[in-house]
Amino acid sequence: MKELIVRQAQPEDIDTMTELDGLCFAAPWSRESFRTEMEENPVAFYVVAEEDGTVVGYAGLWCIGDEGHITNVAVHPDHRDRHIGSALIKTIMEFTAEQGVSKYTLEVRPSNEGALTLYRNFGFREMGRRPGYYADNGEDALIMWCNTTDGRVPAEAGIGKVLQQ
């Protein structure tokens, strides 16, 4: 079994994150967007998942007060269905909970059943809709929230992680 390591993203991960975004999303972020997030956005926190030294996924979050806005979660298509997305979400939620974040939100396509299942497993619930949110096809976005004010991060049993800073 390959060892999965989740660590804080570094500037040298930007190119790989950009490539992953292009593989995973219809409207991927540019390299400059990732650079700005990583180097200039004081509220941004990004992690990457590595297997055998290869980055196979990433996740990002903005910490604003006691709220965390999950910006992106991407896992290489060849590495899906192996709980990498769960490890990424668990890691960013656990790390930011230690910084005082207790409420999390995100937007997701209603057609993205895999992502919806992942987020629901972490306690996210649909709380609203943004009509026409996605520019590539005009699809709505579901707004999901998860409240962890009891200090516990909901997570699937058996998902481990290592965060290296």
Side-chain angles (χ1 to χ4, degrees):
M1 185 170 155
K2 295 180 180 181
E3 180 182 24
L4 181 69
I5 295 174
V6 178
R7 63 170 172 79
Q8 189 166 359
Q10 301 299 316
E12 54 268 19
D13 297 315
I14 291 171
D15 288 335
T16 303
M17 292 167 66
T18 304
E19 289 174 28
L20 278 171
D21 224 52
L23 289 171
C24 296
F25 300 113
W29 285 13
S30 68
R31 184 186 192 291
E32 181 60 18
S33 294
F34 280 107
R35 189 204 62 75
T36 300
E37 283 289 287
M38 300 272 300
E39 297 177 1
E40 297 177 22
N41 185 347
V43 301
F45 175 67
Y46 283 82
V47 296
V48 294
E50 283 186 343
E51 280 187 340
D52 297 332
T54 300
V55 173
V56 296
Y58 81 89
L61 177 137
W62 295 339
C63 297
I64 304 167
D66 66 345
E67 293 182 4
H69 183 116
I70 296 175
T71 57
N72 286 343
V73 178
V75 175
H76 191 287
D78 294 342
H79 295 267
R80 291 184 182 155
D81 298 321
R82 296 181 24 231
H83 301 288
I84 294 169
S86 293
L88 289 163
I89 295 289
K90 183 175 179 173
T91 301
I92 62 173
M93 288 179 74
E94 285 181 343
F95 184 82
T96 57
E98 292 172 7
Q99 314 306 311
V101 175
S102 61
K103 296 176 279 253
Y104 296 86
T105 188
L106 55 85
E107 292 90 9
V108 62
R109 293 176 189 262
S111 63
N112 191 340
E113 287 298 326
L116 288 167
T117 298
L118 171 67
Y119 301 138
R120 287 177 181 139
N121 285 342
F122 279 90
F124 282 85
R125 298 291 170 250
E126 297 154 31
M127 303 298 287
R129 185 177 284 262
R130 296 191 198 284
Y133 182 80
Y134 292 99
D136 64 311
N137 66 359
E139 186 174 4
D140 292 354
L142 295 178
I143 304 166
M144 300 183 83
W145 281 90
C146 175
N147 190 333
T148 62
T149 54
D150 64 359
R152 294 182 318 123
V153 173
E156 295 178 351
I159 300 297
K161 60 93 183 155
V162 176
L163 176 63
Q164 298 177 339
Q165 296 181 11

